[in-house]
Amino acid sequence: MSGKTILIVEDNDVQREGLAVVLRMEGHTVLPTADGKAALALLKSGVAPDLILLDMMVPPPGTDGWRFLQARNRTPALAAVPVVIMTALGIASDQWAESLGACCLVRKPVETADLLAAIRRCLGEGQG
């Protein structure tokens, strides 16, 4: 699973940096952003991550996960990038995540093993 570029969309500085540390330890290149607007700007500039980790709940004035996914899904090149939704929302399920165009869901607080397994699944690398 090493060597992938992963875009993190997470408004919480501590959580974003924690995720980045874990992913860098796994050998990934990490692109941390604080909200969907920053992430979309990065993607539209030509950056091509292998996977996106997306926090759904971003407080105003940031762009939340729903708006990010709507914009992503309207752009064919971006829509091809797999998304792992990260959320503490009680309504969240794998089916819910898939209905939004994501490949899977990781519940917050994020457990490292669950996160890495979700990334592997979305990148087609098995359960590992």
Side-chain angles (χ1 to χ4, degrees), residues 12 14 23 27 32 52 54 61 68 74-75 92 102 117 121 127:
N12 181 292
V14 173
L23 295 173
I52 300 167
L54 179 65
F68 173 85
R74 287 191 300 264
T75 308
R121 276 195 308 275
Q127 299 294 326

Side-chain angles (χ1 to χ4, degrees), residues 1-81:
M1 181 173 85
S2 65
K4 302 297 183 182
T5 299
I6 300 177
L7 173 63
I8 299 172
V9 185
E10 169 62 65
D11 65 296
N12 181 292
D13 295 341
V14 173
Q15 290 179 20
R16 185 173 60 246
E17 187 53 35
L19 291 165
V21 167
V22 167
L23 295 173
R24 286 182 186 123
M25 287 175 57
E26 291 290 315
H28 299 297
T29 299
V30 178
L31 306 169
T33 60
D35 68 31
K37 183 178 181 180
L40 287 168
L42 192 62
L43 292 169
K44 289 178 181 178
S45 77
V47 171
D50 297 297
L51 184 125
I52 300 167
L53 292 180
L54 179 65
D55 177 23
M56 294 303 287
M57 304 290 287
V58 176
T63 299
D64 65 29
W66 288 275
R67 288 194 180 114
F68 173 85
L69 285 171
Q70 289 170 352
R72 170 196 165 265
N73 293 339
R74 287 191 300 264
T75 308
L78 302 181
V81 179

Side-chain angles (χ1 to χ4, degrees), residues 49-119:
D50 297 297
L51 184 125
I52 300 167
L53 292 180
L54 179 65
D55 177 23
M56 294 303 287
M57 304 290 287
V58 176
T63 299
D64 65 29
W66 288 275
R67 288 194 180 114
F68 173 85
L69 285 171
Q70 289 170 352
R72 170 196 165 265
N73 293 339
R74 287 191 300 264
T75 308
L78 302 181
V81 179
V83 173
V84 174
I85 289 177
M86 303 179 298
T87 190
L89 288 172
I91 64 164
S93 67
D94 286 333
Q95 295 79 14
W96 173 80
E98 290 170 12
S99 76
L100 295 173
C103 65
C104 63
L105 167 80
V106 174
R107 294 203 171 273
K108 286 184 167 186
V110 174
E111 295 289 335
T112 301
D114 294 340
L115 174 68
L116 297 177
I119 290 170

